[in-house]
């Protein structure tokens, strides 16, 4: 029978049973202890692929020590003793009895490659979950001087994890992950967001000529449905070259059914009559909030996928890539907002035998504006 932790009978909180991968790791280690030469067949994993420090230490010892002679290994436990001694340098709690238990629980040593693939799949799931958790933490780190850049950097790191998993487990077309409810996002500072959006709408109403400079701002970037609708009204009036003032905006809102939610027309008029600063400034603030909210939603969605052990690595890759597409979309708009356009890639010029190679000075790229 598989060796499992002893039950807790001292009145402490019960120890949860190990996950299935714990027993898979035991079977794999047992196979390698019985037949060390099968370590060459267990590719794609390393010590960090295991779920416990003890198992990681044993795998490191097994794969780092010289392989024993097969006939000699069948007669004595000398090589097992060396493995135990080496593994104890990282996991002092290991005992000879545990190694013997691993040997006994291995069903078929020849199945070591299959066990290794299972361990690799579980490690991929844990890596994805850890990267998603790190991204959520970054979004809520108030100590960061440039939160957007930090969040996008972590999103890129998460994307690289997905790409690595896809390289190891190529996704199958149409295999979507199971729909799992993601953890709700942390409550944003709605008071600040609402106030800044009110100023954005009022400033755009007072300075409609600036609306065209913030085409990268979409209604969905605003937190209140009324504010999103009013922004649609402003952009529609500007696009039609019609007069823009609090009255015309309010009339457009009525035509679109925005006032049917019980909003007070007088309060909306007063809100639209209090401009400050520039449309671009408040638009950038709104887009920054939208970007961070999108990044968090994406991270929590991927975290939920990875938290469901029924999802295979193939499904995780498909689901994660679809979720990350939302980040890519808002990232492009942020780059237009902050003028952070990626550097132009110089294309090599084709040459013929009759022509001499030439050089061309690369175009100067406009400097990026500092992120607030």
């Amino acid at each position: 029978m598989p060796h499992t932790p002893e039950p807790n009978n001292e009145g402490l909180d019960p120890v949860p049973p190990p996950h299935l991968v714990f027993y898979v790791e035991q079977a794999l280690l047992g196979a390698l202890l019985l037949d060390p030469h099968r370590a060459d067949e267990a590719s794609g994993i390393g010590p960090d692929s295991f779920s416990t420090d003890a198992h990681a230490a044993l795998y490191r010892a097994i794969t780092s020590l010289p392989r024993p002679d097969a006939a000699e290994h069948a007669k004595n436990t000398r090589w097992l003793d060396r493995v135990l001694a080496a593994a104890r340098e990282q996991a002092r709690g290991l005992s000879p009895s545990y190694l013997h238990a691993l040997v006994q629980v291995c069903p078929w040593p020849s199945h070591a490659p299959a066990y290794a693939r299972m361990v690799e799949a579980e490690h991929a799931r844990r890596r994805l979950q850890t990267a998603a958790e790190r991204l959520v933490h970054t979004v809520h780190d108030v100590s960061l001087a440039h939160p957007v850049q930090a969040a996008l950097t972590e999103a890129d790191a998460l994307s690289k994890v997905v790409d690595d998993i896809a390289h190891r487990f190529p996704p199958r077309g149409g295999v979507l992950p199971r729909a799992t409810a993601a953890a709700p996002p942390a409550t944003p500072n709605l008071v600040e967001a609402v106030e800044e959006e009110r100023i954005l709408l009022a400033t755009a109403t007072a300075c409609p000529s600036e609306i065209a400079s913030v085409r990268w701002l979409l209604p969905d970037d605003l937190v209140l449905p009324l504010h999103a609708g009013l922004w649609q009204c402003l952009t529609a009036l500007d696009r039609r070259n019609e007069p823009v003032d609090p009255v015309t905006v309010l009339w457009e809102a009525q035509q679109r059914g925005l006032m049917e939610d019980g909003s007070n027309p007088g309060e909306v008029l007063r809100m639209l009559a209090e401009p400050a600063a520039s449309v671009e400034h408040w638009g950038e603030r709104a887009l920054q909030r939208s970007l961070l909210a999108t990044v968090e939603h994406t991270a929590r969605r991927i975290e939920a996928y990875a938290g469901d052990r029924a999802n295979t690595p193939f499904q995780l890759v498909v689901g994660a890539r679809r979720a990350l597409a939302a980040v890519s979309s808002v990232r492009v708009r942020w780059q237009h907002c902050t003028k952070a356009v990626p550097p132009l890639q110089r294309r090599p010029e084709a040459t013929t035998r009759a022509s001499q190679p030439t050089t061309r000075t690369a175009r100067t790229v406009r400097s990026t504006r500092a992120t607030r």
Side-chain angles (χ1 to χ4, degrees), residues 208-277:
S209 61
E210 297 183 15
I211 296 177
S213 65
V214 292
R215 294 299 187 192
W216 33 260
L217 185 67
L218 302 181
D220 288 343
D221 294 325
L222 307 185
V223 297
L224 291 187
L226 175 62
H227 291 177
L230 290 173
W231 183 251
Q232 283 183 315
C233 295
L234 282 162
T235 56
L237 290 172
D238 177 69
R239 187 169 54 253
R240 300 198 302 259
N241 293 318
E242 296 184 10
V244 177
D245 62 38
V247 174
T248 60
V249 173
L250 189 59
W251 184 258
E252 180 75 14
Q254 178 175 284
Q255 300 302 302
R256 292 172 176 263
L258 297 179
M259 309 307 294
E260 295 178 359
D261 63 352
S263 298
N264 187 322
E267 291 181 357
V268 175
L269 284 173
R270 286 190 292 273
M271 176 186 73
L272 295 176
E274 300 177 354

Side-chain angles (χ1 to χ4, degrees), residues 57-327:
L58 279 172
Y59 182 81
R60 184 180 292 107
I62 291 171
T63 54
S64 60
L65 290 174
R67 310 284 170 78
D69 177 75
E72 188 70 18
H73 182 57
K75 298 177 181 178
N76 56 64
T77 62
R78 293 174 185 171
W79 187 78
L80 294 179
D81 294 338
R82 289 196 293 271
V83 168
L84 179 61
R88 274 180 168 173
E89 295 179 4
Q90 282 80 36
R92 296 185 179 277
L94 285 171
S95 63
S97 62
Y98 190 65
L99 266 65
H100 288 293
L102 293 177
V103 171
Q104 292 174 359
V105 302
C106 176
W108 296 96
S110 60
H111 292 175
Y115 303 149
R117 190 64 167 170
M118 297 174 194
V119 171
E120 184 182 8
E122 179 64 14
H123 182 226
R125 187 194 63 79
R126 291 198 307 271
R127 288 179 60 203
L128 189 61
Q129 190 170 32
T130 300
E133 291 172 351
R134 187 181 299 114
L135 181 53
V136 172
H137 175 76
T138 301
V139 170
H140 293 284
D141 189 349
V142 297
S143 66
L144 297 173
H146 304 288
V148 170
Q149 187 57 46
L152 292 177
T153 299
E154 283 299 332
D156 289 339
L158 172 58
S159 182
K160 289 180 180 178
V161 172
V162 175
D163 290 342
D164 183 64
I165 295 173
H167 176 72
R168 297 169 181 269
F169 298 86
R172 300 165 182 168
V175 184
L176 297 175
R178 295 203 315 178
T180 306
T187 304
N189 187 349
L190 287 179
V191 174
E192 180 183 46
V194 169
E195 181 61 26
E196 291 185 358
E197 289 179 6
R198 289 167 64 98
I199 300 175
L200 165 67
L201 295 170
T203 306
T205 302
C207 308
S209 61
E210 297 183 15
I211 296 177
S213 65
V214 292
R215 294 299 187 192
W216 33 260
L217 185 67
L218 302 181
D220 288 343
D221 294 325
L222 307 185
V223 297
L224 291 187
L226 175 62
H227 291 177
L230 290 173
W231 183 251
Q232 283 183 315
C233 295
L234 282 162
T235 56
L237 290 172
D238 177 69
R239 187 169 54 253
R240 300 198 302 259
N241 293 318
E242 296 184 10
V244 177
D245 62 38
V247 174
T248 60
V249 173
L250 189 59
W251 184 258
E252 180 75 14
Q254 178 175 284
Q255 300 302 302
R256 292 172 176 263
L258 297 179
M259 309 307 294
E260 295 178 359
D261 63 352
S263 298
N264 187 322
E267 291 181 357
V268 175
L269 284 173
R270 286 190 292 273
M271 176 186 73
L272 295 176
E274 300 177 354
S278 68
V279 174
E280 188 174 0
H281 169 74
W282 299 114
E284 182 176 331
R285 293 279 296 173
L287 182 57
Q288 174 174 319
R289 270 191 301 271
S290 177
L291 184 148
L292 293 176
T294 300
V295 169
E296 180 184 5
H297 176 74
T298 298
R300 291 189 181 277
R301 185 176 168 188
I302 295 174
E303 187 179 0
Y305 289 152
D308 186 348
R309 286 182 165 80
N311 285 324
T312 67
F314 312 103
Q315 292 173 301
L316 294 178
V317 168
V318 173
R321 283 181 168 171
R322 289 197 174 196
L324 286 167
V327 177

